[in-house]
């Protein structure tokens, strides 16, 4: 016995605003029927006593603590710059921007 009819597939196609040919309706009906048959097999499995899990892997993100550490001062950062203007890195203009 088929779990989904050609008419139900046509109805779903209309709801999804899909224009399907007769051949496509027949093909999708058989494919969806096969999928639903497999789903029913899975649903029939007895899982009594099996603990539910959302992720079988116990890995967690490996991150370092967010700690404040010493860093360069503005003067140290700009010391090796080819050019600095008003405490900032000076770079060539791009895309015709005015200076």
């Amino acid at each position: 016995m088929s779990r989904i009819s050609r008419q139900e597939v046509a109805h779903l196609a209309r709801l999804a605003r899909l224009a399907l040919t007769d051949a496509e309706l027949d093909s999708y009906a058989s494919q969806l029927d096969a999928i639903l048959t497999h789903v029913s097999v899975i649903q029939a499995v007895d899982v009594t006593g099996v603990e539910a899990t959302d992720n079988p892997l116990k890995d967690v993100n490996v991150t370092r603590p967010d700690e404040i550490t010493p860093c360069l001062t503005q003067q140290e950062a700009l010391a090796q710059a080819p050019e600095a203007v008003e405490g900032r890195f000076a770079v060539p203009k791009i895309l015709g921007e005015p200076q």
Side-chain angles (χ1 to χ4, degrees):
M1 177 181 159
S2 182
R3 296 186 181 277
I4 188 164
S5 69
R6 185 178 186 280
Q7 290 77 22
E8 290 171 315
V9 174
H11 178 69
L12 291 172
R14 274 193 303 279
L15 291 175
R17 299 194 187 328
L18 298 175
L20 300 179
T21 64
D22 288 339
E24 289 172 324
L25 287 173
D26 292 333
S27 175
Y28 290 140
S30 67
Q31 291 176 31
L32 288 170
D33 184 56
I35 291 169
L36 293 173
T37 299
H38 288 296
V39 169
S40 69
V41 170
I42 292 169
Q43 287 177 331
V45 173
D46 181 18
V47 292
T48 305
V50 177
E51 183 179 340
T53 178
D54 60 350
N55 185 355
L57 304 176
K58 301 300 180 198
D59 294 341
V60 295
N61 288 339
V62 180
T63 57
R64 64 173 175 77
D66 191 13
E67 298 172 356
I68 297 174
T69 59
C71 62
L72 297 175
T73 65
Q74 182 179 19
Q75 292 76 24
E76 291 171 329
L78 294 172
Q80 298 297 316
E83 187 177 352
V85 176
E86 297 179 5
R88 298 183 188 99
F89 292 102
V91 296
K93 70 177 185 172
I94 59 171
L95 303 175
E97 295 174 342
Q99 291 187 5

